Amino acid sequence: MVDVFVVDAVRTPRGRGRAGKGALSGVHPQEMLAQTLNQLARRTGIERADVDDVVIGCLSQVQEQGACIARNSVLAAEWPETVTGVTLNRFCGSGLQAVNFAALGIMSGQQQLTVGGGVESMSRVPMGSDGAMLDGHNQRLRKRITQVGQGISADLIATREGFTREDVDRFAVESQQKAARAVAEKRFASRFDFVDPDTGALLLDRDEHARAETTMESLAKLDPAFIGMGAAAVGPNGETMDELALKRYPDVSAIRHVHTAGNSSGIVDGAAAVLLASGDYCKAHGLKARARIRSTATAGAEPVIMLTAPTPASQKALKLAGMNVGDIDLWEINEAFATVPLKTIRDLGIDPARVNVNGGAIALGHPIGATGAMLLGTALDELERSNKSTALITLCIGGGMGIATIIERI
């Protein structure tokens, strides 16, 4: 198996994912990814024609994000027409899966230089734009497994684990504080300033969603976000969504709704790209690698509770790398909801001081198709800044899946 090296990683700032309100909401998602690809090429000095493939994650592949946004973004970036692109959807894990698939092409010996990344314009192509539920409106599947909204799953985890509203709010405040410190200390080296594709004028040079002023008191004023969803009658016999979840977990008498807009991930726009190469290519072209990929893994878990699979995915990646939890210096556990990293930390016995040290999606936002690639870049930047060696990136995924990648700094 061929070693895969991370040459560089770049990302846009995260713009507020509200039409007409976020700084990136006026930018076509192809152009957002195209500028990201060109930033990656400029920073590394690669010959664009050498790229064997551009693998891109994107959740909502309709409208402006349809028609293979990977290939169209390559064309929008004015890369050589010989460079191919492919778009994939593994829900929230799409961006990291794209990096992993791009890495596997090199590991197999079939490719030498690839790009993995992701894009999501949640302001222009909102979640649900494809018109599909998690089960794709498959009534036969629905009779056997009735999947519920992720917010219900998050609250179900909190209920079963005994995480209180104060627990999840405290985690959210800490995410905001860590992100504010990271911004003040200029820790996000992979982020570039995004400019207007037509005029070159600066559009965004910061992550718009972060709110450094967040406190426990301000979060306490927010109403739980998923009570209405839980009370909606959606079952074949008029069952509410909460009741459908509880049918699978009869040990729970009632779901305590603790997640709010303040302790869940933010809706934002953004794109990210990671350049991967074989050792032979790096040597032949004078590229200095920043890290190598030690292992990648996915894992499935029960699809109603849905968000628990970062634990088995991380365990699988650790086993493949011949490592244990204590060997990982930094953990990036996507903050889809506060309960996800809290449970993963508990399950694996992780030192919380090693987790999301520069904040996460609660503070910065979660541009679904891009987040995994962004987290890899964040982890790489922090490994170098803090002179540490290893990082594990993991995300929960719709339908009861998880994904993990371990990188080691060169």
Side-chain angles (χ1 to χ4, degrees), residues 1 14 29 42 58 61 69 84 113-114 138 147 152 185-186 194 228 233 240 248 268 313 320 346 365 367 400 408:
M1 187 171 63
R14 294 169 174 92
R42 280 193 286 270
C58 183
Q61 295 179 38
I69 192 169
T84 55
L113 185 70
T114 58
N138 182 347
Q147 298 179 58
I152 304 303
E185 297 179 2
K186 296 181 170 57
F194 195 91
T240 67
R248 179 62 181 80
V268 296
L320 287 168
R346 175 180 288 179
E408 181 179 31

Side-chain angles (χ1 to χ4, degrees), residues 142 145-148 152 156 230 232-249 255 304:
R142 190 172 295 176
I145 302 173
T146 304
Q147 298 179 58
V148 298
I152 304 303
L156 175 60
V234 295
N237 300 309
E239 303 98 328
T240 67
M241 196 170 286
D242 276 0
E243 288 170 342
L244 291 172
L246 293 175
K247 284 179 69 174
R248 179 62 181 80
Y249 291 90
I255 295 177
V304 175

Side-chain angles (χ1 to χ4, degrees), residues 85-135:
V86 61
T87 312
L88 63 88
N89 177 9
R90 200 190 283 278
F91 300 130
C92 295
S94 298
L96 191 59
Q97 186 63 73
V99 174
N100 291 354
F101 277 165
L104 291 174
I106 296 172
M107 286 183 189
S108 71
Q110 300 299 300
Q111 298 173 329
Q112 293 290 315
L113 185 70
T114 58
V115 174
V119 63
E120 204 79 43
S121 179
M122 301 181 78
S123 61
R124 297 171 73 95
V125 191
M127 283 189 295
S129 292
D130 62 0
M133 303 288 284
L134 281 165
D135 60 15

Side-chain angles (χ1 to χ4, degrees), residues 157 160-161 163 301 305 307-315 318 325 331 333 339-352:
I157 292 170
R160 298 188 79 229
E161 295 290 327
F163 296 137
I305 206 164
L307 309 174
T308 61
T311 292
S314 298
Q315 291 170 326
L318 287 166
V325 169
W331 292 75
I333 306 172
T339 195
V340 175
L342 284 172
K343 177 167 172 55
T344 308
I345 289 167
R346 175 180 288 179
D347 287 348
L348 296 175
I350 305 168
D351 178 359

